[in-house]
Amino acid sequence: MDLLQRNKTSMRRVFVEAMGEGKLEVVDECLAPDAVDRHAFGPDEPDMRTHLKAAIGMLRCAMPDLTVSVEDLVAEGNLVAARVILRGTHTGSPLFGRPAQGRRLQVEQFHIGSFNDQGHGLTHQANIGQYEFLAQLA
């Protein structure tokens, strides 16, 4: 498998397997231990892997029927860009401070990650669609 395909596979696995299926061990398999995210970590999140697992847990607890589809993956050099759509019904725990009201949610996200030579994620930047979530929860 060439470098571009390996990086795309790692990116896809994080969304499909980790986020979509709840296989949190995939986060450790696909991200470097010193990976950096532009999103601020919470006080109980010392690194990006822990942060991502917490975010996945939050989404899956809020939307137990969460599905994640990777619509587009584009790679160049050590970068991969992804367009991802999250769909689920907010029947679980609060989401962004809003209690569950049984609403069906759909949010489009955009992610850019850089990868090392082993195909492990190093950096992450994203538009996670928080405002789309909040508008649908209002």
Side-chain angles (χ1 to χ4, degrees):
M1 178 180 313
D2 72 8
L3 181 65
L4 294 179
Q5 190 58 44
R6 184 175 59 218
N7 294 346
K8 287 169 64 175
T9 297
S10 288
M11 180 77 96
R12 181 181 300 278
R13 288 189 68 211
V14 168
F15 293 110
V16 173
E17 295 177 42
M19 189 174 288
E21 299 173 9
K23 297 178 181 175
L24 296 182
E25 67 276 6
V26 170
V27 172
D28 295 329
E29 295 169 10
C30 292
L31 297 182
D34 59 346
V36 176
D37 195 338
R38 76 171 180 105
H39 301 288
F41 300 153
D44 58 341
E45 300 172 342
D47 55 43
M48 184 175 166
R49 287 176 171 184
T50 304
H51 170 72
L52 182 55
K53 290 175 189 178
I56 291 169
M58 184 253 322
L59 288 169
R60 294 187 59 77
C61 285
M63 297 179 290
D65 64 344
L66 177 67
T67 62
V68 180
S69 61
V70 177
E71 300 296 318
D72 297 299
L73 275 179
V74 178
E76 182 175 337
N78 73 331
L79 299 175
V80 177
R83 183 172 67 90
V84 178
I85 297 180
L86 280 62
R87 295 175 179 92
T89 310
H90 187 205
T91 57
S93 61
L95 184 60
F96 300 113
R98 305 283 171 83
Q101 296 180 16
R103 291 191 176 143
R104 184 88 177 133
L105 307 175
Q106 177 174 312
V107 173
E108 183 177 49
Q109 298 183 332
F110 298 91
H111 300 265
I112 298 175
S114 69
F115 292 81
N116 63 23
D117 290 341
Q118 291 76 43
H120 296 114
L122 292 175
T123 64
H124 174 253
Q125 297 184 44
N127 176 338
I128 60 167
Q130 182 174 351
Y131 298 111
E132 282 184 75
F133 275 122
L134 290 172
Q136 293 175 54
L137 294 169

